[in-house]
């Protein structure tokens, strides 16, 4: 087998979920967000671990993601955060998924599908309080819910998405929470009943206790990132590989495509079998470092589709077959890699491709 893999610590994942439950206390439902293949960690395995460790429901982005979990034997509640297309209504009703909704066309399709199957379809109304991405505006929410008098559907919840809860000293989250509470009051004043209200993502779970409401939706913090305050989270993924070739090359030798790196000394170069096709960003070319034998080795040259090269001249005793950590240990974190690549940790984790096997420990 190709010696590149992602090591997933289930104990760390359980520990992070436990921190969420401690923060929100009893009486608050925890929706474990496992979209994008559980942020690259493996949706099926992490979903089963979440449910067996105290999560109440799962959150995904798309119908195919939800179907993958159902087909794996998961029978619990699965929430579709991104909503659905009307053409997906029958599949949603048949499998008991709960979609976000902000379209009367979707509600009509859900009603028709539910009526045919003699079931009741539940949905959560998505309210846009300032993210400006998806949802019904706060001013329109009451009239939208009032007009949604289709048979065989039930308004189970109302929710919104916070845009800036991770930004220090931002007043925008307080603004959004105020708009959301006003929306809920308006719904109640018009006699519109719903089962639950929710808006707290990972950052809000940690920083805004008044946002917890009935359900919280932790995502990135379950995977050990974006810790805030006194919360001690544990990284869940380590991306690893092994040296497949080791060579001593002369000063003045070009390394990799495009002559982007030329050695300034006699150099020991280790080739590692991982590249941008595995989700290791090309933007890391001549920028990243890897962890090897308790020391850091700089990446030299451009990231190729299947390989990278690192300078191990200053690390004695290196051999072919030695294990290398791309991120996830005490020397190189996901945050380090995302900073070198000019992106965010979410992207680094979720782009690790399917051809990198996940090893669960």
């Amino acid at each position: 087998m190709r010696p590149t893999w992602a090591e997933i610590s289930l104990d760390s994942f359980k520990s992070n979920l436990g921190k969420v439950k401690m923060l929100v206390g009893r009486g608050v439902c925890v929706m474990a967000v496992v979209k994008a293949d559980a942020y690259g960690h493996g949706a099926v395995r992490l979903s089963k671990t979440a449910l067996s460790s105290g999560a109440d429901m799962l959150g995904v982005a798309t119908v195919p993601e939800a179907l993958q979990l159902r087909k794996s034997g998961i029978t619990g509640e699965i929430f579709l955060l991104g909503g659905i297309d009307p053409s997906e209504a029958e599949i949603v009703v048949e499998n008991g998924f709960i979609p976000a909704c902000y379209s009367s066309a979707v509600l009509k399709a859900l009603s028709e599908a539910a009526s045919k199957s003699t079931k009741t379809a539940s949905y959560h109304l998505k309210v846009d309080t300032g993210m400006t991405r998806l949802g019904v505006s706060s001013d329109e929410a009451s009239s939208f819910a009032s007009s949604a008098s289709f048979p065989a559907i039930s308004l189970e919840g109302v929710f919104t998405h916070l845009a800036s809860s991770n930004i220090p000293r931002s007043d925008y989250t307080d603004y959004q929470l105020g708009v959301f509470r006003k929306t809920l009051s308006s719904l109640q004043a018009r006699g519109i009943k719903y089962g639950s209200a929710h808006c707290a993502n990972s950052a809000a779970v940690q920083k805004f206790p008044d946002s917890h409401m009935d359900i919280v939706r932790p995502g990135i913090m379950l995977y050990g990132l974006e810790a805030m305050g006194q919360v001690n989270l544990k990284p869940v993924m380590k991306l690893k590989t092994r040296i497949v070739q080791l060579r001593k090359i002369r000063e003045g030798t070009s390394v990799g495509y495009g002559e982007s790196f030329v050695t300034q000394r006699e150099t020991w170069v280790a080739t590692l079998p991982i590249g941008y096709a595995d989700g290791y960003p090309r933007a890391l070319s001549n920028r990243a470092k890897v962890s090897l034998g308790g020391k850091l080795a700089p990446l030299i040259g451009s990231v190729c589709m299947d390989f990278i090269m690192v300078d191990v001249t200053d690390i004695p005793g290196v051999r072919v077959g030695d294990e290398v950590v791309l991120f996830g240990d005490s020397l190189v974190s996901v945050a380090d890699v995302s900073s070198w690549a000019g992106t965010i940790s979410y992207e680094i984790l979720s782009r690790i491709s399917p051809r990198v096997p996940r090893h669960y420990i």
Side-chain angles (χ1 to χ4, degrees):
M1 294 180 65
R2 187 162 169 261
T4 297
W5 70 100
E7 186 177 280
I8 311 298
S9 171
L10 298 178
D11 284 343
S12 294
F13 181 79
K14 293 175 184 177
S15 174
N16 297 334
L17 176 58
K19 297 292 172 55
V20 173
K21 293 176 69 65
M22 179 187 68
L23 287 169
V24 302
R26 294 183 178 180
V28 178
C29 177
V30 176
M31 179 194 300
V33 178
V34 292
K35 63 181 180 176
D37 198 30
Y39 291 50
H41 293 70
V44 171
R45 189 64 179 271
L46 272 294
S47 294
K48 292 181 177 180
T49 302
L51 292 173
S52 66
S53 303
D56 301 286
M57 58 192 301
L58 304 170
V60 299
T62 68
V63 171
E65 288 181 343
L67 282 172
Q68 180 193 26
L69 300 184
R70 273 288 185 266
K71 291 177 180 178
S72 74
I74 291 174
T75 59
E77 289 191 0
I78 301 176
F79 185 67
L80 291 157
L81 290 154
I84 65 168
D85 185 84
S87 64
E88 297 173 308
E90 289 189 10
I91 295 175
V92 167
V93 172
E94 178 184 351
N95 288 276
F97 302 145
I98 305 170
C101 189
Y102 41 86
S103 160
S104 57
V106 168
L107 286 178
K108 181 180 179 182
L110 283 173
S111 175
E112 292 173 351
S115 297
K116 289 179 182 178
S117 65
T118 67
K119 297 180 180 179
T120 298
S122 299
Y123 74 97
H124 288 212
L125 175 62
K126 177 68 178 287
V127 180
D128 177 20
T129 59
M131 180 69 179
T132 317
R133 185 173 64 181
L134 292 173
V136 178
S137 72
S138 177
D139 294 336
E140 299 171 336
S142 294
S143 59
F144 180 88
S146 297
S147 63
S149 55
F150 297 99
I153 60 173
S154 172
L155 175 59
E156 185 175 293
V158 183
F159 77 110
T160 193
H161 189 79
L162 301 175
S164 302
S165 56
N166 63 323
I167 298 177
R169 299 181 299 277
S170 171
D171 295 328
Y172 200 59
T173 297
D174 289 327
Y175 163 76
Q176 282 193 267
L177 288 172
V179 172
F180 189 51
R181 291 192 191 96
K182 182 179 178 181
T183 304
L184 296 177
S185 296
S186 177
L187 291 170
Q188 292 166 357
R190 297 187 64 165
I192 299 170
K193 297 180 180 180
Y194 56 88
S196 58
H198 52 106
C199 61
N201 53 14
S202 289
V205 165
Q206 298 173 74
K207 290 176 56 183
F208 296 91
D210 58 336
S211 73
H212 294 171
M213 299 186 182
D214 303 304
I215 301 173
V216 294
R217 308 189 305 264
I220 195 69
M221 71 180 295
L222 293 179
Y223 309 101
L225 300 179
E226 305 293 325
M228 300 177 182
Q230 301 302 312
V231 181
N232 180 27
L233 301 175
K234 298 180 179 181
V236 176
M237 180 190 291
K238 288 183 180 179
L239 183 62
K240 296 183 174 183
T241 190
R242 294 187 185 276
I243 297 172
V244 293
Q245 187 177 40
L246 186 62
R247 298 173 60 200
K248 183 166 69 172
I249 60 175
R250 299 176 180 175
E251 176 185 348
T253 302
S254 174
V255 178
Y257 288 116
E259 303 172 53
S260 66
F261 183 89
V262 177
T263 57
Q264 301 299 306
R265 60 176 180 174
E266 188 176 70
T267 304
W268 280 97
V269 177
T271 300
L272 310 179
I274 187 168
Y276 58 77
D278 300 294
Y280 194 73
R282 194 170 184 275
L284 294 173
S285 300
N286 294 304
R287 294 181 181 179
K289 296 178 182 180
V290 302
S291 175
L292 172 61
K295 295 186 177 182
L296 292 173
L299 190 158
I300 56 177
S302 57
V303 174
C304 309
M305 181 178 287
D306 309 302
F307 296 97
I308 61 173
M309 288 70 74
V310 297
D311 181 350
V312 297
T313 309
D314 298 325
I315 305 178
V318 174
R319 297 180 179 180
V320 170
D322 282 354
E323 185 176 282
V324 178
V325 179
L326 286 306
F327 63 70
D329 69 359
S330 60
L331 293 181
V332 183
S333 67
V334 178
D336 292 329
V337 174
S338 64
S339 176
W340 294 329
T343 183
I344 58 176
S345 300
Y346 298 71
E347 183 178 355
I348 298 298
L349 289 175
S350 62
R351 72 188 298 172
I352 301 302
S353 77
R355 81 175 190 176
V356 176
R358 274 62 169 175
H359 294 177
Y360 298 96
I361 62 172

